[in-house]
Amino acid sequence: MANAEPGQPGTATRILDVAERLVQVRGYNGFSYADVADELKMTKAALHYHFASKAELGEALIERYSLRFFEALAAVEERTPDAPLRLHGYAGLYAQVLRDHRMCLCGMMVADYETLSPPMQDAVVRYIQDNRQWLSGVLSQGRDVGTLVFDGSPGDVASMIFGALEGAMLIARLQGDVSGFESSVERLLASLLPLARSSARSAS
Amino acid sequence: MANAEPGQPGTATRILDVAERLVQVRGYNGFSYADVADELKMTKAALHYHFASKAELGEALIERYSLRFFEALAAVEERTPDAPLRLHGYAGLYAQVLRDHRMCLCGMMVADYETLSPPMQDAVVRYIQDNRQWLSGVLSQGRDVGTLVFDGSPGDVASMIFGALEGAMLIARLQGDVSGFESSVERLLASLLPLARSSARSAS
DNA sequence: GTCTATACAGCGATAGAC
DNA sequence: GTCTATCGCTGTATAGAC
C-alpha cells in the first residue's frame, strides 16, 4: 500500500505482471500458478504466500487493471475536453493493449465469467459498468455541445461502443496487427460525428 | 455420416450437444470430459471411444457449429434478397444463441485461441473468414442497389460488424436478457441504412 | 459401445524447515 | 519471504473385460 510505482517492483507486483499477461493471452482458465512460478523462477508455494488462492490473485488482477485503466482515462480527459477526441483517446488505450498482443484483461474474464469466483464476477461487472458510465458521460457532453450526434440514450450507445471495442479486440488479436482494430474503431466513432455519411476522415 | 438429424440422436451427437453447451457457457478450458460424462451418465472412457482426444472433440464442435450456422444463413438468404433484411437475419441467428444464455461457440474459442490445438485454431479462423466473406457479399450487393450506404471496403465493414456482434454477445450475456444485444445490433445496422441520421427505426 | 480400473501429469493448496 | 515436500483432487488418456 505504501508503494505506487517504486524503482524495483516488489514480488507481488512481478507476480501480477506475469499473471496479467498470461490471462490476457491464454485466459483465466488457461494459466496456472506453475506457469507464473516458472517464469519468475520461484516456487508455487512462494506465490501462495503473496496470493493465497488463484481467485484472490484474480481479484487483484482485475482491481489493478481497472485502477490503471481509469487513471489512464483521467489523463485522456485532461488532454482534451472535446468529446470525439476523448472517445478517440479511450479507444487508443485499448489499441495500446492490443499492440502488446494482448486482449483486454476484463474481456478475457468476461468470457470465463461463469467459472469465476463471485468476488471476481463482481469486479468484472463493476469494470464494465464503469466503462459504460464514462462513455455515457462523454456521449452526453458531446451531444449537448453538438460535437456528437446519435439517437437514443447515451447509455445504449455506450454499451454498443464498449461491446464493439471488446469484440474488435478479440478478433483483431488473431491477425497480429492492430490495423483491423483501428479501422473498426474509426468507422464506429465516425458514425457518431455530425456530417456523417460522406468520407469519414476525422481525428488525427 | 449417414444420419443428418435422425429421430433419436446417436451417442456422438449427444456428446456434442452437451460439450457444445459447456463450451458456450464456460469456455473450452472451463469444461472437462468428466462434466460431459456425468451429464450423460456415461464414463469418461466411453467418451474417448467417440472422440479420442479433447482436441478432436473440439474440432468436431467447431465443424458442426460452423456447418449448422451457414445452413441457417442459407435459409436467411432464401427468405429475402434484401441486403438490410439479410443483415437483420444474420444478427437474428446470434440473438437466438444468446436467448439460450450461450455465447457464440467460436467467439468463446477465439478467447481461448492461444491454448487450442493447431487444427482447432485453423477451424476457428475459417469460421471467422467465412462470416466476413458472407457479410462482405451482402454489403457489396446492398451498396450496389443502394439499400446500404457506407464508406470503404465491404471487407472492412464486415470485420467491424462481426467483431461488434461477438463483443455485444459477450457483454450481453452478463445481463441475462438479449435486449441489450438487440439494441446494439439495431443501432449498428441502422448506421448502414440510407437516410441514417434521424430516428433509427427500421426493419420489423 | 460401454464398462472398470488405472496410469500419469497437472492442478491448487498446505505444512514446516530455513 | 522462499524453499522442499507432499497432499488430495482433477485432468486427459489408455488397457482390457464384457
Side-chain angles (χ1 to χ4, degrees):
Chain A
M1 276 296 177
N3 61 338
E5 316 274 341
Q8 253 75 289
T11 305
T13 298
R14 282 161 56 230
I15 294 170
L16 287 170
D17 289 343
V18 172
E20 182 176 79
R21 197 191 66 249
L22 287 171
V23 171
Q24 291 183 269
V25 172
R26 303 174 52 90
Y28 182 73
N29 294 321
F31 88 103
S32 70
Y33 268 46
D35 295 327
V36 181
D38 287 354
E39 198 158 333
L40 292 175
K41 283 173 186 153
M42 296 169 52
T43 59
K44 292 185 292 173
L47 299 192
H48 278 284
Y49 170 82
H50 297 278
F51 301 96
S53 68
K54 196 183 177 186
E56 279 179 41
L57 172 56
E59 290 174 55
L61 285 173
I62 302 172
E63 233 66 77
R64 190 182 71 156
Y65 188 84
S66 187
L67 200 74
R68 287 181 171 179
F69 179 79
F70 285 101
E71 278 174 10
L73 253 195
V76 166
E77 289 184 296
E78 233 169 282
R79 272 206 299 278
T80 174
D82 183 60
L85 281 179
R86 282 184 173 180
L87 293 181
H88 201 80
Y90 174 83
L93 295 183
Y94 284 111
Q96 237 176 304
V97 172
L98 205 55
R99 229 166 263 125
D100 226 0
H101 305 99
R102 306 188 191 192
M103 169 65 188
C104 168
L105 180 96
C106 291
M108 277 304 222
M109 295 291 194
V110 170
D112 293 329
Y113 187 81
E114 292 293 330
T115 71
L116 303 182
S117 71
M120 286 183 67
Q121 293 185 335
D122 292 346
V124 169
V125 168
R126 227 176 301 125
Y127 176 81
I128 295 174
Q129 284 174 338
D130 290 348
N131 267 268
R132 268 201 281 249
Q133 191 172 344
W134 187 89
L135 284 169
S136 288
V138 173
L139 288 166
S140 299
Q141 174 216 333
R143 179 152 74 173
D144 286 347
V145 300
T147 51
L148 295 177
V149 177
F150 54 89
D151 295 322
S153 76
D156 281 359
V157 181
S159 293
M160 195 268 278
I161 293 176
F162 181 72
L165 236 72
E166 292 286 346
M169 289 188 82
L170 204 61
I171 306 303
R173 207 172 43 120
L174 298 199
Q175 297 163 327
D177 74 314
V178 284
S179 69
F181 173 79
E182 285 171 334
S183 155
S184 289
V185 167
E186 190 129 349
R187 181 175 305 278
L188 199 72
L189 298 187
S191 73
L192 299 171
L193 298 179
L195 310 175
R197 188 75 10 151
S198 65
S199 81
R201 295 275 160 249
S202 59
S204 71
Chain B
M1 276 296 176
N3 60 339
E5 315 275 341
Q8 254 75 292
T11 304
T13 298
R14 282 161 56 231
I15 294 170
L16 287 169
D17 289 342
V18 172
E20 181 176 78
R21 196 191 66 250
L22 287 171
V23 171
Q24 291 184 270
V25 172
R26 303 173 52 89
Y28 182 73
N29 293 322
F31 89 102
S32 70
Y33 267 46
D35 296 326
V36 180
D38 287 353
E39 198 159 332
L40 293 176
K41 285 174 185 152
M42 295 170 51
T43 59
K44 293 181 287 174
L47 299 192
H48 279 284
Y49 170 81
H50 297 278
F51 301 97
S53 71
K54 197 184 176 186
E56 280 179 41
L57 172 57
E59 290 174 55
L61 284 174
I62 302 171
E63 233 66 77
R64 190 182 72 156
Y65 188 83
S66 187
L67 200 74
R68 287 182 173 180
F69 180 79
F70 285 101
E71 277 174 8
L73 252 196
V76 165
E77 289 185 296
E78 235 169 281
R79 273 206 298 279
T80 174
D82 182 60
L85 282 180
R86 281 183 175 181
L87 293 181
H88 201 79
Y90 173 83
L93 295 183
Y94 283 112
Q96 237 177 305
V97 171
L98 205 54
R99 230 166 262 125
D100 226 0
H101 305 98
R102 305 188 192 193
M103 169 65 187
C104 168
L105 180 97
C106 290
M108 277 305 223
M109 295 290 195
V110 170
D112 293 329
Y113 186 82
E114 292 293 330
T115 70
L116 304 182
S117 70
M120 286 183 66
Q121 293 185 336
D122 292 346
V124 169
V125 168
R126 229 177 298 126
Y127 176 82
I128 295 174
Q129 284 173 338
D130 290 347
N131 267 267
R132 266 202 282 249
Q133 191 172 343
W134 187 89
L135 284 169
S136 287
V138 173
L139 288 165
S140 298
Q141 174 215 334
R143 179 152 74 173
D144 286 348
V145 300
T147 52
L148 294 177
V149 177
F150 54 89
D151 295 322
S153 76
D156 280 358
V157 181
S159 293
M160 195 268 277
I161 293 176
F162 180 72
L165 235 73
E166 291 286 346
M169 289 188 81
L170 203 61
I171 307 302
R173 206 172 45 121
L174 298 198
Q175 296 164 328
D177 74 314
V178 284
S179 69
F181 173 79
E182 287 171 332
S183 154
S184 289
V185 166
E186 190 130 348
R187 181 175 305 277
L188 199 72
L189 298 186
S191 74
L192 299 172
L193 298 179
L195 311 175
R197 188 71 10 145
S198 66
S199 81
R201 295 277 160 250
S202 59
S204 68

